[in-house]
Amino acid sequence: MRLGRSVLGWLRRRDPGYRTVRRAARLTLVASVSFYGCRYGLGSTVLATYALFATVATGEFAQLPGDASQRARTLLAALPMAWVLVAIGTVLAWSTWAAAAGMLVVGFAVAFAGVGGPRLVGLANAFQLFYILACFPPYQPGTLPARLAGVTLGIVLVSLAEVALWPDPAPVAFPHRLRDAARAVAAFLEGIADVMSGQQGADAEVARRHTPAIRAVEQVRILQLPATQRPMSASVRDRALRDAAAAVHEMLALAESLATERGTTETRDADAARLLRQSAASIRSSGDIALGEAQAAGTDDHLDAAGAALERRRARAGQRADAIRLRVDAIVQAVVEQAGIFATAARVAGGFRTWQATERPATGPDQFWYARRSVLSLYWQQFRAHLTPRSVYFEGAVRLAVALAAARIIAGTFNLLHGFWVLLAILTLLRTSGADTRTTLRPALVGTLIGAVAGGLLLLSSPAPEIYAALLPISMVLAFGLGPLLGVGWSQAMLTLLLIFVFAQLTPVNWQLVGARVVDVLIGAAVGVLAGLLMWPRGASSELRRNAAAYLGAAAEAIAQTVQVLAGKDRTPGALDAARRGKILTDASFAQYHFERHDPRMSYVDWEGVLIAGNRILHGAEALLARDRPGVLAPWPDSAAQLVGWAQRLRSAYADLARQLPQGQIRRPVAPPAAAPDIVDRVDESIRSGETRPEVLRPVEVDVWLAGLTGHIARIQSPPTMPAGHRQKT
């Protein structure tokens, strides 16, 4: 009894929610039904082989996002592509070189398709297996119908099992996380509004609501989510969800600035408080719209009310101006703008068309350009952005394709028994960095050897196929359930036993099958290690340094260029385009580095801080340029000149940091530049002199933006409190 409780306790710790156990039970049942039914019921080894491997490929190697029904639909939608890959492999199996050439093309195309989003990433290894199995001898194009039937049977049964047999609990979908984050930020803003209204105890309530808001917003930090839960596809919905998440992060940062601003607590401002409450109502209802739980009409009402209140406030600006209120006004204005961006992005994500998203702006950046583009053009643009050696997706696809093609040549040239095991070993052992591949290698080889010895002893002692038919389900439970929980070595040992038990029932076998398994895994491991050492051995760490440097450098240019455009000294903010391209590659590099072995040389820079700084620059510049025409600061030349100078100093500081990032550390500390003096006082003086144009507060808003960017310079240079690549709280 005590032993049983200990085992259950260990299982709960290693497999929370029993997801692995449930998946192992589903796969064992489906694989047993399909294999035994085809092998012994229909008497077809071809059907049995392809049905079994389709089950393993889609049930074990595929890692799909969504709940059970979404995963089932994804598998069924992938069925035509599985047919195509099996057909291509069957046709090219006549020649080793033809099969290797096909492997090179298929290997790259399937791996690189992961650029399109989590579903394609999750299906990549399964698709590779369909081609790999079919491209090996014997060359029997006449068996193609049976092969396709087996693949169809396996995938359909896995899809049905996902829904009907012990389905996993649905993960918390990103729109749910976004809604919760919106509600938490809205509550935080409402608390600040209560402080501005002078309510008793409001300060303590703001402090209480701050921590839940931080926690909720952390849950929508996209690069720290599990890979299958990230809205990273090229679709309109996922792009809108990413924009909404960025707006939530920006609103939290603005709310935190507002909560610590002296004018928030020292003055009573009913108008600003009302504006914050209206913005909070808009944020809350927009989060429901993104989730599909509300209609879009209510959001327009909240935003229209907020906009009307803002205009009335601007009209009275000259009657009650003071320096303290000006900064509060600027931050509140930024909150309202980000609430508008969030509302538009949420409605686009929810499938609603809005004029903000579907009409091209007369001036400034087109933030919602994707809402007017076709699905094919969006995916093509995303693929094109990664067609560069600086992309970790491109590097990984090339590395895997070359390794698989080389392994196919070796297996064919030396006529290896069950040579596809060589390629299977590469799929399971090759990692994105040479260090990770070498780390995986030793336990995998030891595990393979242990499994081979155990299988060999059984072959020598009990050669009857009936023994293996009886042991096959047990080996499936061990390989699919226990192996992943115990690690690479045990997983390889149990997979080796499973393969021996399968092929002992398909063809006459002897102890040579055991030797073939060991030899094939050794060759696959050697090819994988060589590929990992010869092609981008450092994995994502080197590309993260380069791409982060390029991103931060482009963002630095965007700071100066944005202020110059607002000051009327430049009308072509082209640096934003370069920053957007840099963000794409940097995000991908950081996401991959998150799952690699940590490079100690990367621990001297807060890489997440680099991304956050770049994002704040990019989103802030887009918001300023989207709202204001070029030259909006020109009527106040003294303030404009000071802001241009401050922006130039910030550009120099960020550019200096960017030049040092490729080294992985900051050897020359960069001091935050001096702020522009007296911006708020100058605007206060202009208002007191009778200036009533609402644009008079624009210098203060730019001042607030630049002040926020200045604070990120120190963080980038501070080593993170956790090892680089781990999740860090911000």
Side-chain angles (χ1 to χ4, degrees), residues 593-669:
Y593 181 68
H594 227 54
F595 298 102
E596 293 181 353
R597 174 178 290 272
H598 310 127
D599 186 344
R601 293 167 296 186
M602 300 284 287
S603 62
Y604 301 101
V605 174
D606 188 339
W607 298 100
E608 190 174 20
V610 174
L611 266 68
I612 291 173
N615 294 344
R616 292 292 304 276
I617 294 169
L618 182 59
H619 296 309
E622 287 178 335
L624 289 171
L625 294 172
R627 182 193 61 193
D628 292 324
R629 67 184 188 280
V632 69
L633 300 178
W636 302 279
D638 292 340
S639 296
Q642 288 186 355
L643 290 172
V644 168
W646 189 6
Q648 295 281 7
R649 294 191 293 275
L650 271 175
R651 178 182 63 178
S652 298
Y654 274 107
D656 192 0
L657 289 174
R659 285 190 292 269
Q660 299 184 64
L661 287 181
Q663 306 168 15
Q665 55 184 303
I666 307 299
R667 299 183 183 277
R668 301 186 310 279

Side-chain angles (χ1 to χ4, degrees), residues 71 158 162 168 201 226 245 339 455 523 638 663 720:
R71 293 195 299 273
V158 170
E162 285 282 352
D168 294 334
I523 293 174
D638 292 340
Q663 306 168 15

Side-chain angles (χ1 to χ4, degrees), residues 357-727:
T358 56
E359 292 187 11
R360 187 183 300 276
T363 60
D366 188 2
Q367 290 179 281
F368 297 98
W369 56 271
Y370 52 82
R372 299 184 299 276
R373 299 282 290 274
S374 68
V375 174
L376 288 178
S377 67
L378 290 176
Y379 273 91
W380 166 242
Q381 184 187 57
Q382 187 146 318
F383 284 122
R384 186 176 61 184
H386 284 276
L387 278 173
T388 167
R390 297 278 73 86
S391 167
V392 291
Y393 283 109
F394 181 87
E395 293 177 359
V398 170
R399 183 192 299 113
L400 181 61
V402 171
L404 291 175
R408 180 62 184 87
I409 292 172
I410 294 171
T413 301
F414 294 97
N415 197 24
L416 297 178
L417 181 64
H418 298 299
F420 75 91
W421 286 349
V422 179
L423 282 73
L424 180 61
I426 291 174
L427 280 182
T428 55
L429 299 181
L430 184 61
R431 300 293 187 265
T432 56
S433 71
D436 285 352
T437 301
R438 291 193 300 272
T439 301
T440 306
L441 184 60
R442 182 177 177 181
L445 294 179
V446 172
T448 300
L449 185 60
I450 292 173
V453 169
L457 292 175
L458 189 59
L459 284 173
L460 291 174
S461 61
S462 302
E466 292 79 7
I467 298 295
Y468 309 109
L471 292 176
L472 181 60
I474 299 174
S475 68
M476 289 179 180
V477 171
L478 294 176
F480 302 147
L482 195 57
L485 299 179
L486 293 176
V488 175
W490 285 102
S491 182
Q492 284 294 313
M494 295 168 187
L495 179 61
T496 298
L497 280 175
L498 172 60
L499 292 174
I500 290 174
F501 293 165
V502 167
F503 283 93
Q505 300 175 67
L506 294 175
T507 58
V509 295
N510 52 34
W511 63 270
Q512 291 179 342
L513 179 66
V514 174
R517 171 64 180 167
V518 174
V519 169
D520 290 343
V521 171
L522 285 172
I523 293 174
V527 173
V529 168
L530 285 175
L533 292 176
L534 296 177
M535 291 179 285
W536 303 285
R538 293 184 178 178
S541 63
S542 60
E543 296 311 323
L544 177 57
R545 295 198 301 269
R546 296 189 187 96
N547 291 331
Y551 180 29
L552 198 62
E557 289 296 323
I559 297 173
Q561 205 169 79
T562 297
V563 179
Q564 288 175 339
V565 169
L566 296 176
K569 300 180 181 300
D570 192 345
R571 291 183 176 271
T572 57
L576 283 177
D577 292 334
R580 292 189 192 101
R581 292 192 296 270
K583 173 178 169 56
I584 292 172
L585 297 178
T586 306
D587 284 350
S589 302
F590 185 76
Q592 180 169 303
Y593 181 68
H594 227 54
F595 298 102
E596 293 181 353
R597 174 178 290 272
H598 310 127
D599 186 344
R601 293 167 296 186
M602 300 284 287
S603 62
Y604 301 101
V605 174
D606 188 339
W607 298 100
E608 190 174 20
V610 174
L611 266 68
I612 291 173
N615 294 344
R616 292 292 304 276
I617 294 169
L618 182 59
H619 296 309
E622 287 178 335
L624 289 171
L625 294 172
R627 182 193 61 193
D628 292 324
R629 67 184 188 280
V632 69
L633 300 178
W636 302 279
D638 292 340
S639 296
Q642 288 186 355
L643 290 172
V644 168
W646 189 6
Q648 295 281 7
R649 294 191 293 275
L650 271 175
R651 178 182 63 178
S652 298
Y654 274 107
D656 192 0
L657 289 174
R659 285 190 292 269
Q660 299 184 64
L661 287 181
Q663 306 168 15
Q665 55 184 303
I666 307 299
R667 299 183 183 277
R668 301 186 310 279
V670 177
D678 305 327
I679 292 295
V680 177
D681 291 335
R682 288 177 181 273
V683 173
D684 183 20
E685 182 180 347
S686 296
I687 294 175
R688 293 183 183 279
S689 299
E691 179 62 74
T692 59
R693 286 175 289 183
E695 291 83 1
V696 70
L697 294 184
R698 294 298 189 264
V700 182
E701 293 160 9
V702 176
D703 179 84
V704 169
W705 176 57
L706 296 178
L709 301 184
T710 302
H712 286 283
I713 292 176
R715 172 179 174 173
I716 293 173
Q717 301 175 82
S718 302
T721 57
M722 298 177 66
H726 268 259
R727 293 185 62 176

